[in-house]
Amino acid sequence: MGQYPLHNVLEARARLGEGPMWDSTRKLLYWVDIYNHRVHQFNPATGENDFFDVGDVVGAIATAGKDKLIMLLRHHLAFLNTQTGEVTPILEIEGNLPDNRLNDGKYDPQGRFWFGSMCSLEKPQASLYCYETDGSLHVMETGLTISNGLGWSPDRKTFYLTDSPQQKIYAYDFNSVTGNITNRRIFVDLTHESFYPDGLTIDSEGHIWSAMWGGWCVIRFNPRGEEILRIKLPVQLPTSCAFGGDDLRTLYITTASVGLSQAEIDKSFYSGDLFALQTDVTGLPAYNFSELK
């Protein structure tokens, strides 16, 4: 498998582009610009990109029924009406931890919404949560720094979770029926590298594609955690990736420009833009909500 051709499909110049999510019903790619408080919807068929200003930092989004998204604000789980732009808070989370904010999230195979928080590096007090279909919230993991890139293997037996500052991707045994995770182990250890694993997605062959913050690349790992492909990018700060398109063979990659010096931007001119590449593998369709309250 060789290097895939890469295309800059949207010159967004986002501060912190993140959380790409393909809506197979509407044929749109949703993504966020965290610090600009925007939820974007990109139409690859027309090249048009619209956005909603949600009035707060926004870490992740997912579909939640017709004309509705569920999203992570700084300290709230909330709904966004994609017809009116109205934001409706659901739950306050970690409001007692002002240095924390909510970060990345996805649905599991049973329609539960999993998401994590991030904290200051001096205090590893971020957590991983599961919002159940009955509206209850459960803490699934603690002692994290930046709960990031999460996903499930095609056979639904393994759950993956990234802790970016620790430069590790963890694997857990996953019980799809109960939602329990056990037997945490290190899946990928990047402590020998100068960059950090960020958001991830998983293809139908069970390979993990992880965006490398500071690494100018996306890396594909096999189910044993071995690097098998490195996709080089023209930007320093890739943040996340997701498969989309009619055949789920297009890998969309979000990027960031936040914190870069002018000299770094000169070297990484397209920082914050949205990229896409056609692959010869199929991604997994995004799991859907299940009667979220």
Side-chain angles (χ1 to χ4, degrees):
M1 183 182 297
Q3 180 77 40
Y4 300 115
L6 183 73
H7 303 282
N8 185 331
V9 293
L10 182 66
E11 293 186 359
R13 301 298 195 270
R15 289 182 67 198
L16 186 51
E18 259 287 5
M21 186 275 302
W22 179 253
D23 183 341
S24 58
T25 300
R26 301 186 65 193
K27 311 298 183 186
L28 297 174
L29 183 83
Y30 286 98
W31 62 282
V32 302
D33 188 349
I34 293 177
Y35 291 147
N36 280 331
H37 305 172
R38 293 174 176 176
V39 172
H40 292 261
Q41 54 182 26
F42 172 68
N43 186 337
T46 64
E48 294 180 358
N49 185 77
D50 300 313
F51 67 84
F52 303 93
D53 187 333
V54 297
D56 197 358
V57 296
V58 52
I61 71 278
T63 56
K66 187 177 186 296
D67 300 328
K68 188 163 65 172
L69 300 176
I70 193 169
M71 62 182 178
L72 302 175
L73 303 180
R74 185 185 307 271
H75 288 134
H76 283 89
L77 190 63
F79 286 130
L80 172 65
N81 185 309
T82 56
Q83 290 297 307
T84 66
E86 180 183 5
V87 175
T88 305
I90 304 169
L91 290 172
E92 182 182 53
I93 300 156
E94 298 189 2
N96 62 321
L97 299 173
D99 293 334
N100 285 25
R101 72 165 173 84
L102 301 182
N103 192 39
D104 200 1
K106 287 177 184 173
Y107 289 120
D108 76 4
Q110 300 296 324
R112 297 168 287 228
F113 191 58
W114 291 65
F115 60 93
S117 61
M118 58 183 288
C119 62
S120 65
L121 300 185
E122 293 77 24
K123 299 177 181 179
Q125 56 184 3
S127 299
L128 174 72
Y129 298 92
C130 178
Y131 182 61
E132 291 277 0
T133 56
D134 63 4
S136 60
L137 183 70
H138 303 280
V139 178
M140 309 304 292
E141 184 67 285
T142 59
L144 303 170
T145 45
I146 297 182
S147 176
N148 220 332
L150 66 166
W152 290 264
S153 60
D155 64 7
R156 305 181 179 187
K157 293 181 179 180
T158 305
F159 169 68
Y160 299 98
L161 176 68
T162 303
D163 193 328
S164 295
Q166 302 302 316
Q167 295 176 281
K168 293 181 177 67
I169 302 175
Y170 296 106
Y172 298 76
D173 294 338
F174 177 70
N175 185 316
S176 186
V177 176
T178 66
N180 289 335
I181 53 174
T182 54
N183 186 30
R184 186 175 93 168
R185 62 263 187 201
I186 296 173
F187 175 69
V188 171
D189 187 338
L190 294 169
T191 52
H192 61 286
E193 298 282 7
S194 61
F195 49 77
Y196 304 86
D198 203 326
L200 63 76
T201 191
I202 300 173
D203 63 36
S204 58
E205 298 176 359
H207 293 69
I208 287 79
W209 302 66
S210 176
M212 296 297 160
W213 177 272
W216 303 80
C217 66
V218 170
I219 297 179
R220 187 187 191 214
F221 300 97
N222 66 22
R224 295 183 297 278
E226 300 164 339
E227 178 179 336
I228 59 172
L229 179 67
R230 188 172 295 209
I231 303 289
K232 297 178 181 178
L233 301 174
V235 293
Q236 183 175 344
L237 303 176
T239 57
S240 191
C241 51
F243 284 97
D246 289 338
D247 56 4
L248 292 179
R249 290 178 181 266
T250 302
L251 187 74
Y252 289 99
I253 304 167
T254 51
T255 68
S257 61
V258 65
L260 294 178
S261 67
Q262 187 58 53
E264 288 173 321
I265 290 176
D266 289 343
K267 295 179 182 178
S268 183
F269 182 75
Y270 298 104
S271 294
D273 289 358
L274 178 66
F275 294 86
L277 57 134
Q278 296 299 313
T279 74
D280 54 10
V281 294
T282 304
L284 295 173
Y287 295 121
N288 295 316
F289 75 105
S290 177
E291 297 299 323
L292 281 171
K293 307 300 182 185

